[in-house]
Amino acid sequence: MRGRSEGSQKKRLLTFLGVVAIFLVFLYVYFGSQSRGESALEYGSRSLRRLGSSYLGGDEDTDLGSKQDESSAKFGLEDSEDGITPKSFPVCDDRHSELIPCLDRNLIYQMRLKLDLTLMEHYERHCPLPERRFNCLIPPPAGYKVPIKWPRSRDEVWKANIPHTHLAKEKSDQNWMVVKGEKIVFPGGGTHFHYGADKYIASLANMLNFSNNNLNNEGRLRTVLDVGCGVASFGAYLLSSDIIAMSLAPNDVHQNQIQFALERGIPAYLGVLGTKRLPYPSRSFELAHCSRCRIDWLQRDGILLLELDRVLRPGGYFAYSSPEAYAQDEEDLRIWKQMSALVERMCWRIASKMNQTVIWVKPLTNDCYMEREPGTQPPLCRSDEDPDASWGVQMEACITPYSDHDHRTRGSGLAPWPARVTAPPPRLADFGYSNDMFEKDTELWRRRVESYWNLLSPKISSDTLRNLMDMKANLGSFGAALKDKDVWVMNVVPEDGPNTLKLIYDRGLIGSVHNWCEAFSTYPRTFDLLHAWTVFSDIERKGCSAEDLLIEMDRMLRPTGFAIIRDKPTVIDSVKKYLPALHWEAVVTADSASDSEQDGDELVFVVQKKLWLTSESFRDSE
């Protein structure tokens, strides 16, 4: 009996241990897949890398295998007892070295989104939910080098930094780019301008009878939208004429066009003319440009042309270089006739036509719209529709008329460049701001930027910085203060605040609307400096993750790039705790009380991102 009893007890013990083991395995799998790091089941297999001896300037004993289970819910406030600051973040798999979280086709596929491919919806932004985000650091590719400095970078980049040469083969007859040893060289060609963008730009100026064949028209033409921009050589060669272009292309089959543009130091943005408005206010650009951009302008009652019409200024131009403009065969002739009829109903007229290029000009007033026959298509947009709303707003096939004020003034009323960067914009009154307020803001940021440069001076030389981003641009005075330096600024305006982006474009600067609870539409390693003025305080109020924002800033920053964080002391203290995990280095902390009385409680914190490689990519690069 005793033997039977001992045997049954042993069986019950083994059964109990088995149940406990199964339960523990279940908890591990379940909570592992639900953790803030991305789920391997949802995203496919990937491994996290450790930083090895190739980590330059860091602590080699840093434990990169650990990952925090939860971040402090009170980032920037007094630390709570349960607040956890990570000692390290994992490193994403090398395959994700070019991850763009909101333009990730793998995510779209796995979420089984029902998108209309003919409308380019799959190239529009679709952001992962917080539980599906890659909360890891994006590694540089094997052999990554500090980018070549501007202006040399306009013409050549390191092949290792963007190891994609398929465009050089596909466009070999169009002079886009050529592989030469360790570098990729850009001769300045394009699909329509094989012999160089500079000659093509001069020909456009000649077609418009601008003096000295200079497209800037004595400072009156400053901002340009280049859709389907390729590797942005058109925008690159406009810069020497004091013209700044927003070069726009989707993350399509030619995936790395915008990546090449930004690596070269050329202003660019990942976007597409699909179903939603472009993230720019109305009347932002003096010229829109399409050189064989493969866009069907006749689709959906001309809705894409009407989106260009929305963002063009009164008297703005659309330069269209395509075989249809020459109409050599029956199909081209059909498209040309239909397109000509459409733009005529939109009140555009031909300013010039030569060979395969036509330039249309938009009217200065509403007169033509009022004179159209009743029922003419496309219709005028409703009077209650905001032409400046652009974040997630659906396009509509309607014409945006001018306000009574703009109709009377017959144009934008802007000063020529460079005077317009400091002249009070005509649309300033839309926000209830006075000229005096504008001038004080301009002077305040001039002093602040001068102070920033003094803080950075031990670390930078005249050519260290090229691509800058102001993450909360307000009136654009940060960018305006940099007009004499060889840099350009992506001015970002929050989607839920005053839409001051139209003032920024009126100043001759460029930018985009954005929500910092999401990732920005750019490739990793594309900005040399990020300026975050109270951005962390803002997203805390919105209930978004400051930790996610830090990881996103790290994604956008080039190795050896800088971030200037201007915020309240508690925010700065919290950011400092994340420096080891991000492999950022503190440069300086400064008091901002000397800037102005009203923000004396703000601190300025400057950090630098270190250059590191994973052990695997370091071995590959040797």
Side-chain angles (χ1 to χ4, degrees):
M1 292 292 292
R2 188 170 64 240
R4 253 188 242 140
S5 174
E6 287 175 354
S8 62
Q9 285 179 353
K10 192 177 294 182
K11 285 180 182 177
R12 283 197 299 271
L13 179 61
L14 289 173
T15 301
F16 175 76
L17 291 175
V19 169
V20 170
I22 291 170
F23 180 70
L24 289 174
V25 169
F26 171 79
L27 288 178
Y28 177 82
V29 171
Y30 180 78
F31 287 105
S33 68
Q34 296 297 317
S35 68
R36 295 187 69 251
E38 148 276 328
S39 163
L41 294 175
E42 292 178 325
Y43 263 97
S45 61
R46 72 171 174 86
S47 58
L48 297 178
R49 307 297 193 194
R50 289 177 180 270
L51 299 183
S53 59
S54 57
Y55 173 55
L56 304 183
D59 300 325
E60 293 192 9
D61 61 348
T62 302
D63 175 19
L64 293 172
S66 65
K67 171 84 167 75
Q68 73 170 41
D69 294 321
E70 60 177 300
S71 63
S72 170
K74 297 186 177 181
F75 184 101
L77 303 177
E78 293 300 322
D79 289 339
S80 57
E81 290 184 6
D82 60 346
I84 300 172
T85 304
K87 293 181 179 179
S88 63
F89 288 115
V91 181
C92 299
D93 187 277
D94 292 341
R95 291 179 293 112
H96 302 303
S97 69
E98 293 169 358
L99 176 69
I100 311 160
C102 294
L103 297 171
D104 181 5
R105 283 194 292 278
N106 291 326
L107 173 70
I108 290 172
Y109 173 76
Q110 289 155 13
M111 291 178 69
R112 294 178 173 82
L113 299 178
K114 294 180 180 179
L115 304 176
D116 191 331
L117 304 188
T118 64
L119 302 184
M120 301 296 177
E121 283 187 294
H122 54 308
Y123 294 140
E124 294 182 321
R125 289 174 57 85
H126 302 280
C127 296
L129 296 172
E131 63 269 18
R132 295 176 64 92
R133 290 176 181 168
F134 283 83
N135 285 330
C136 48
L137 304 182
I138 304 290
Y144 181 86
K145 300 180 180 182
V146 174
I148 294 170
K149 304 302 182 185
W150 182 268
R152 275 203 309 134
S153 62
R154 186 195 74 172
D155 302 324
E156 59 182 26
V157 300
W158 294 116
K159 183 174 67 175
N161 291 8
I162 310 180
H164 303 285
T165 58
H166 60 281
L167 278 177
K169 297 171 185 173
E170 288 180 32
K171 305 292 182 180
S172 59
D173 61 330
Q174 297 170 15
N175 240 9
W176 278 28
M177 47 191 272
V178 179
V179 178
K180 289 188 177 180
E182 292 187 335
K183 294 178 180 177
I184 295 175
V185 176
F186 301 88
T191 305
H192 190 77
F193 40 91
H194 305 178
Y195 302 108
D198 51 349
K199 296 181 178 64
Y200 173 70
I201 291 167
S203 73
L204 295 179
N206 181 261
M207 289 173 67
L208 292 169
N209 295 317
F210 289 169
S211 61
N212 302 316
N213 286 344
N214 193 330
L215 196 60
N216 78 5
N217 191 24
E218 299 179 338
R220 287 187 287 271
L221 197 156
R222 165 65 180 172
T223 51
V224 169
L225 176 66
D226 186 18
V227 294
C229 64
V231 294
S233 289
F234 180 72
Y237 281 81
L238 284 173
L239 289 165
S240 59
S241 298
D242 272 342
I243 298 173
I244 189 164
M246 179 66 82
S247 295
L248 186 79
N251 185 26
D252 61 6
V253 291
H254 302 314
Q255 290 181 33
N256 307 98
Q257 299 171 102
I258 294 300
Q259 191 177 20
F260 278 118
L262 290 164
E263 182 74 11
R264 296 172 70 184
I266 303 165
Y269 183 82
L270 275 161
V272 66
L273 282 162
T275 65
K276 294 183 174 65
R277 285 179 173 178
L278 297 175
Y280 317 122
S282 69
R283 295 176 282 138
S284 294
F285 301 96
E286 273 95 25
L287 171 74
H289 174 255
C290 157
S291 173
R292 298 203 190 184
C293 54
R294 301 187 304 153
I295 293 174
D296 178 8
W297 296 109
L298 296 174
Q299 65 172 283
R300 294 177 282 159
D301 303 315
I303 194 168
L304 304 184
L305 270 178
L306 290 160
E307 175 63 2
L308 288 191
D309 183 83
R310 182 184 71 85
V311 299
L312 276 177
R313 298 196 192 281
Y317 300 98
F318 177 43
Y320 181 56
S321 295
S322 182
E324 295 91 51
Y326 189 63
Q328 296 185 66
D329 57 36
E330 186 176 341
E331 178 62 13
D332 287 340
L333 184 60
R334 180 192 68 81
I335 294 172
W336 172 251
K337 285 182 176 178
Q338 291 187 18
M339 198 164 172
S340 296
L342 172 61
V343 298
E344 185 177 350
R345 296 195 302 273
M346 290 168 56
C347 292
W348 291 7
R349 63 175 179 81
I350 292 179
S352 185
K353 186 171 182 285
M354 183 184 299
N355 298 328
Q356 290 189 15
T357 300
V358 59
I359 303 176
W360 284 288
V361 61
K362 183 180 173 181
L364 287 169
T365 68
N366 291 328
D367 290 343
C368 174
Y369 305 143
M370 299 298 105
E371 292 166 1
R372 300 189 311 163
E373 292 291 328
T376 300
Q377 297 296 316
L380 296 182
C381 297
R382 300 186 310 274
S383 59
D384 61 347
E385 192 167 297
D386 182 2
D388 298 321
S390 59
W391 184 253
V393 177
Q394 294 291 124
M395 290 183 193
E396 288 198 33
C398 59
I399 299 170
T400 305
Y402 304 126
S403 66
D404 291 341
H405 173 269
D406 296 327
H407 171 72
R408 290 193 303 271
T409 55
R410 298 182 60 84
S412 299
L414 298 175
W417 179 266
R420 74 169 63 171
V421 77
T422 51
R427 293 193 273 188
L428 197 61
D430 294 358
F431 300 90
Y433 298 152
S434 66
N435 289 359
D436 183 58
M437 292 167 63
F438 173 82
E439 289 162 0
K440 285 181 178 177
D441 186 77
T442 300
E443 173 58 22
L444 172 65
W445 281 102
R446 186 197 64 75
R447 294 198 313 269
R448 287 179 174 178
V449 169
E450 184 179 2
S451 173
Y452 291 161
W453 246 247
N454 290 335
L455 295 174
L456 286 166
S457 59
K459 291 277 189 176
I460 65 171
S461 55
S462 60
D463 63 355
T464 302
L465 305 176
R466 173 61 186 170
N467 302 349
L468 278 61
M469 176 187 284
D470 190 4
M471 298 172 67
K472 184 183 174 184
N474 194 28
L475 305 183
S477 295
F478 171 86
L482 293 163
K483 68 180 177 62
D484 294 326
K485 295 191 180 294
D486 223 354
V487 301
W488 67 274
V489 180
M490 177 69 79
N491 293 280
V492 180
V493 170
E495 99 294 350
D496 61 345
N499 193 359
T500 53
L501 193 58
K502 58 186 178 183
L503 304 181
I504 290 167
Y505 274 93
D506 284 357
R507 301 183 77 169
L509 308 172
I510 61 169
S512 173
V513 176
H514 186 62
N515 176 2
W516 282 117
C517 294
E518 302 175 357
F520 195 77
S521 292
T522 192
Y523 281 87
R525 303 173 300 280
T526 45
F527 286 92
D528 298 301
L529 185 144
L530 305 176
H531 177 239
W533 171 48
T534 66
V535 176
F536 285 93
S537 293
D538 291 344
I539 68 163
E540 282 295 316
R541 284 192 290 271
K542 294 171 73 171
C544 300
S545 168
E547 182 181 297
D548 285 348
L549 179 58
L550 284 169
I551 293 173
E552 172 62 4
M553 290 172 69
D554 183 80
R555 186 186 73 87
M556 293 190 294
L557 269 179
R558 285 172 166 174
T560 72
F562 297 88
I564 300 174
I565 301 169
R566 185 186 199 98
D567 217 312
K568 56 191 177 185
T570 50
V571 167
I572 301 302
D573 289 342
S574 295
V575 170
K576 287 179 178 179
K577 296 175 184 178
Y578 282 84
L579 296 190
L582 292 163
H583 307 290
W584 291 2
E585 182 178 57
V587 175
V588 67
T589 305
D591 191 343
S592 67
S594 59
D595 290 336
S596 63
E597 294 179 4
Q598 72 268 23
D599 63 8
D601 61 337
E602 291 178 0
L603 291 179
V604 176
F605 184 42
V606 182
V607 298
Q608 184 174 24
K609 178 179 176 178
K610 298 177 183 179
L611 173 62
W612 53 264
L613 296 171
T614 62
S615 297
E616 288 81 355
S617 62
F618 182 71
R619 282 197 294 270
D620 291 342
S621 67
E622 288 182 315

